[in-house]
């Protein structure tokens, strides 16, 4: 008896042909769109020193407290698989002196890791497409990010999304707001869940985001950050809303929207869909004007977002993904035909004709069956009789109609035939 076959870890998913094509297409649309908006690609390390995330996302955030994959490496150093991309981009930006470069807009795609309870649209290894603008304070950059997000999802043919926005204030207006919220929560302790009781002491804004019925009721009349926004935060938020209106982008104000990562200041947003069930956020982000400084850099404003690729894929109709070009299946009958057809196979592939070749030892019927199962549009058949006549048979796999081509000009004839299709 052999040992049990392995299977992937819970919350880790293989992307098989069929589904993977969708992802490749999402990635290619992302590259095109983000580049049109002036973003340059950046790829950062997947494993980082754990402190990077403790300091940026926040030691009391759920992500750092209970979701990050953290372990000691062989050098005894505490390291974590990145749970998100922003901290790593800022780390790389500082480490490589990008502060002096002309490029301020970056985008990335790749895996992130959080030990959450897996369910539809929530995995432990998930993938984000993210964008960060570092060094820009003006509200028009928040608007630029949101327009990029809306345009990208539109290019993927995803409709029915809602853009929810809020302002979370700044170091000037957040502390008095926090105090007001804590005062409000202290009077409703009996209604809060255990997590929120703890949160109300260490991270009270997160209580606004609790999904539990009791907590939702308890915070129904809670003070909101926007009511306590200082003049600068209020003006910034108004300019962002006006900018969205100018671009004809619909949004709704959600005064209770808060984020699970501690670095946000001013604008915060989520792009949500009711089609996703509990995991309604397809994308989320906001401004993080204090993060660069927190990570040891100069005071530098920044804004960004990340999109969950699994959730995008769930929302996309399979019909929008372009189908690959039809396949030409080459059927060699015998070793001589195999040898003769190999150069044609190579030449056609060099010209981007999607080709596959059968096993020269297999029978015609078996090879045609395989061509059929692969969904080939045409089969090209050559056996000893065709070689003797310097010819090849091109068979339409749907209509079964056949025509004879010349072996000496085979690749050119096929190319002109496929072009005229
Ligand atoms: P986030 O809200 O934690 O923000 O994640 C952004 C998006 O990633 C979510 O809206 C969701 O679509 C997806 N996502 C998060 N966790 C999972 C999961 N376990 N499974 C599947 N998808 C998931 C950030 O990560 C920030 N770094 C965004 C940002 C960039 N803010 C500024 N710049």
């Amino acid at each position: 008896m052999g040992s049990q076959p392995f299977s992937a870890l819970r919350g880790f998913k293989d992307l098989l042909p069929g589904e993977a094509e969708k992802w490749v297409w999402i990635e290619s649309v992302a590259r095109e769109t983000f580049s049109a908006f002036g973003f340059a690609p950046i790829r950062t390390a997947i494993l980082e020193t754990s402190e990077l995330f403790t300091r940026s996302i926040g030691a009391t955030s759920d992500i750092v407290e209970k979701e990050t994959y953290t372990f000691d490496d062989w050098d005894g150093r505490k390291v974590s698989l990145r749970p998100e991309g922003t901290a790593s981009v800022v780390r790389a930006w500082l480490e490589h002196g990008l502060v002096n470069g002309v490029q301020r807009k970056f985008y990335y795609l790749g895996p992130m890791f959080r030990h959450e309870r897996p369910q539809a649209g929530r995995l432990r290894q998930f993938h984000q497409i993210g964008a960060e603008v570092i060094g820009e304070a003006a509200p028009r950059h928040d608007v630029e990010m949101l327009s990029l997000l809306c345009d990208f999802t539109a290019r993927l043919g995803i409709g029915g999304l809602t853009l929810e926005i809020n302002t979370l204030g700044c170091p000037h207006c957040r502390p008095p707001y926090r105090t007001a919220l804590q005062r409000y929560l202290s009077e409703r302790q009996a209604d809060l869940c255990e997590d929120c009781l703890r949160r109300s002491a260490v991270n009270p804004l997160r209580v606004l985001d609790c999904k539990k019925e009791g907590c939702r009721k308890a915070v129904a009349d809670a003070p909101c950050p926007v009511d306590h926004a200082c003049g600068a935060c209020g003006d910034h938020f108004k300019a962002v809303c006006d900018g969205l209106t100018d671009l004809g982008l619909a949004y709704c104000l959600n005064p209770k929207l808060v984020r699970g990562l501690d670095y946000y200041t001013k604008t915060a947003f989520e792009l949500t869909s009711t089609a996703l069930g509990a995991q309604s956020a397809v994308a989320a982000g906001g401004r993080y004007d204090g993060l660069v400084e927190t990570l040891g850099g100069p005071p530098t404003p920044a804004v960004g977002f990340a999109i969950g690729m699994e959730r995008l894929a769930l929302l996309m109709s399979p019909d929008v993904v372009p189908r690959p070009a039809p396949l030409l299946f080459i059927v060699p009958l015998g070793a001589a035909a195999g040898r003769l057809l190999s150069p044609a196979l190579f030449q056609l592939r060099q010209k981007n004709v999607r080709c596959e070749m059968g096993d020269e030892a297999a029978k015609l019927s078996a090879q045609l069956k395989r061509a059929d199962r692969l969904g080939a549009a045409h089969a090209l058949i050559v056996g000893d009789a065709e070689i003797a006549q310097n010819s090849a048979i091109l068979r339409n796999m749907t209509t079964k109609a056949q025509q004879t081509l010349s072996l000496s000009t085979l690749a050119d004839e096929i190319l002109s035939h496929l072009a005229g299709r």
Side-chain angles (χ1 to χ4, degrees), residues 84 86 114 116 121 123 128 132 259 263-264 281-282 304-305 308:
E84 58 108 49
T86 311
R114 294 183 196 174
E116 295 189 83
L123 285 110
Q128 286 186 342
E132 316 290 350
R259 310 276 308 113
Y263 49 63
Y264 292 106
V282 186
F305 66 71

Side-chain angles (χ1 to χ4, degrees), residues 63 67 83-87 108 112-117 119 121-128 130-132 145 259-261 263-264 269-271 276 279-288 303-312:
I63 297 180
E67 294 170 4
E84 58 108 49
T86 311
Y108 50 90
M112 310 288 161
F113 304 84
R114 294 183 196 174
H115 193 274
E116 295 189 83
R117 199 165 48 78
Q119 55 176 247
R122 189 165 74 192
L123 285 110
R124 290 179 172 171
Q125 178 184 329
F126 61 100
H127 300 77
Q128 286 186 342
E132 316 290 350
M145 296 312 265
R259 310 276 308 113
L261 307 101
Y263 49 63
Y264 292 106
F269 53 83
E270 280 187 5
L271 192 63
L276 284 173
Q279 307 309 316
S280 63
V282 186
R287 194 159 263 293
Y288 50 96
V303 58
F305 66 71
I307 310 169
M309 289 185 73
E310 282 74 10
R311 298 185 193 177
L312 275 184

